[in-house]
Amino acid sequence: MQFSHSQINLYQTCPRKYAHQYIDRMKVSSDSLHLVLWSAVHAWLERLYEQVRDHKIPSLDDVLTAYQQDWDTQVDETQQRQGPEYFTLEDRETFYQRGINYITWYVEAHHPFDQQIPMDTEHRINIDLDDDIRFRWAIDRLDIDEDTITITDYKTNRSLPKDDNDSIKQQITLYALGVLNDYGSKIKHLVGNVIYLHMKKTVTWKITSEEMENAKTYYKDLAREILQKKKLRDKGAKESFPPQQNFQCNGCPFRMICPLWSHGYKSDEAITLDSLWNTTIKALIDQHSKISKQHKALEAEKKEYSKLLGQYGADNDFKKLYGHDFQLRIGESTRYSINKDTEETLLKKLKEHNLLDDLLSIDVFKLAKLFKDGTLDEAERSSLIHKNTSYSAWRAKWIKDKDKEWTEDKIGDS
Ligand code: SF4
């Protein structure tokens, strides 16, 4: 199966969206001004370096005109697909201006572009990480200097990834594997170079063989996990690619069929409870949530009273307390926890007394998870552990205004 870094990124952000897009092959339109900006800037950079490779050095005015053309092309193509009103004039202007700022900074920092003539732009790479796992992508720019190849990626992100979760660095390291595969006999060193246009920042580092090995294992494991889940899904395991709420949900083309959001698009439904009480599902949801909130507040209050009265009983040696109408029993509960430093000694002691087996119990939730994620064979599950599923609603939360994009006339009673 063929993968790209953006597919893997999508799988990690939301497995359900990944499955719709890359397994079910549902047609999606992910048009946004972020994408228009990204495409226009990348098209412009590709054109710029094609000229530079032909030793034609454009002026700032030339490059701004070229960017204007690339921007207009991207906007026109999107509006042909989505209609002329798809973007507001104000948003278009904001994003267009962002592009102008990126390009002005880039040209001022690099003009006359003679530091290095790129070996290639939009360089296609294929690499097999395993018999059935192939990665394919295009590298923004490749430069070669004696025995060193520099892999450059241009980003229009508005923030830097944190050091401990730098998926961009990992992405470039994966690209390095492909470059090494193609040019390994001619080069000794690989350098990663990410240009964050929004922050006017360039991050450069030497890519080590250890990092490449780690990246190989990382992406191979993730691709394997996807293949394994796909097999489970083919056998009918609906939850193998669960939806995962994330920052992309508001613009997600699958919101109307996503179990986390689709109910919001439905019209209200009447129901009767105990043949006496007529209500609707939406009214019941709001009522349930109001009760949950009150319940939570009352629970906290009850806990405070319990603590105070319990301590009062203990201080005065009362096992029972009497109000005007109710009585309370004073209970005592003690929690024990295992000290990590002495755990070994404790286990030894239990073994000496032949008590270890009595104290060991299987965590059925963890066990069920192993069947669910495919670590253990799901077909054997029913003969080993019983399953009894019931459903309940929980975690009452207000719906944020930004999440309310549904209107009844969008989907009606579907
Ligand atoms: S709406 Fe959100 S959770 Fe649902 S599929 Fe799309 S990205 Fe995933």
Side-chain angles (χ1 to χ4, degrees), residues 79 210 300:
Q79 290 188 333
E210 193 191 344

Side-chain angles (χ1 to χ4, degrees), residues 14 16-17 243-246 249 252 254-255 258 260-261:
C14 175
R16 178 63 60 94
K17 190 174 179 188
Q244 197 164 280
Q245 191 163 343
N246 66 85
C249 284
C252 175
F254 307 115
R255 249 175 86 113
C258 172
L260 293 183
W261 299 95

Side-chain angles (χ1 to χ4, degrees), residues 101-118:
N101 293 345
Y102 298 169
I103 283 160
T104 309
W105 167 73
Y106 190 81
V107 172
E108 282 170 358
H110 297 91
H111 197 271
F113 311 107
D114 54 359
Q115 300 94 333
Q116 185 77 53
I117 295 189

Side-chain angles (χ1 to χ4, degrees), residues 160-251:
L160 280 177
K162 288 188 180 156
D163 286 348
D164 60 351
N165 188 21
D166 195 340
S167 71
I168 294 175
K169 203 165 175 184
Q170 205 128 23
Q171 170 193 3
I172 306 299
T173 310
L174 175 70
Y175 292 181
L177 268 175
V179 173
L180 193 69
N181 199 40
D182 288 352
Y183 302 101
S185 70
K186 300 174 191 69
I187 53 167
K188 278 203 185 126
H189 308 291
L190 282 155
V191 171
N193 187 43
V194 182
I195 301 181
Y196 293 93
L197 296 159
H198 192 85
M199 288 154 285
K200 304 179 180 170
K201 174 146 188 75
T202 302
V203 178
T204 305
W205 73 100
K206 205 168 158 187
I207 302 168
T208 64
S209 347
E210 193 191 344
E211 282 167 344
M212 279 190 277
E213 269 315 303
N214 290 343
K216 190 173 176 177
T217 311
Y218 177 76
Y219 284 101
K220 204 157 84 173
D221 287 352
L222 275 170
R224 280 251 152 275
E225 185 180 306
I226 294 174
L227 290 174
Q228 173 67 20
K229 288 190 174 180
K230 186 179 171 303
K231 269 191 205 153
L232 292 174
R233 193 167 188 261
D234 292 344
K235 285 187 198 163
K238 275 199 307 191
E239 281 308 306
S240 51
F241 288 87
Q244 197 164 280
Q245 191 163 343
N246 66 85
F247 68 99
Q248 293 179 3
C249 284
N250 282 347

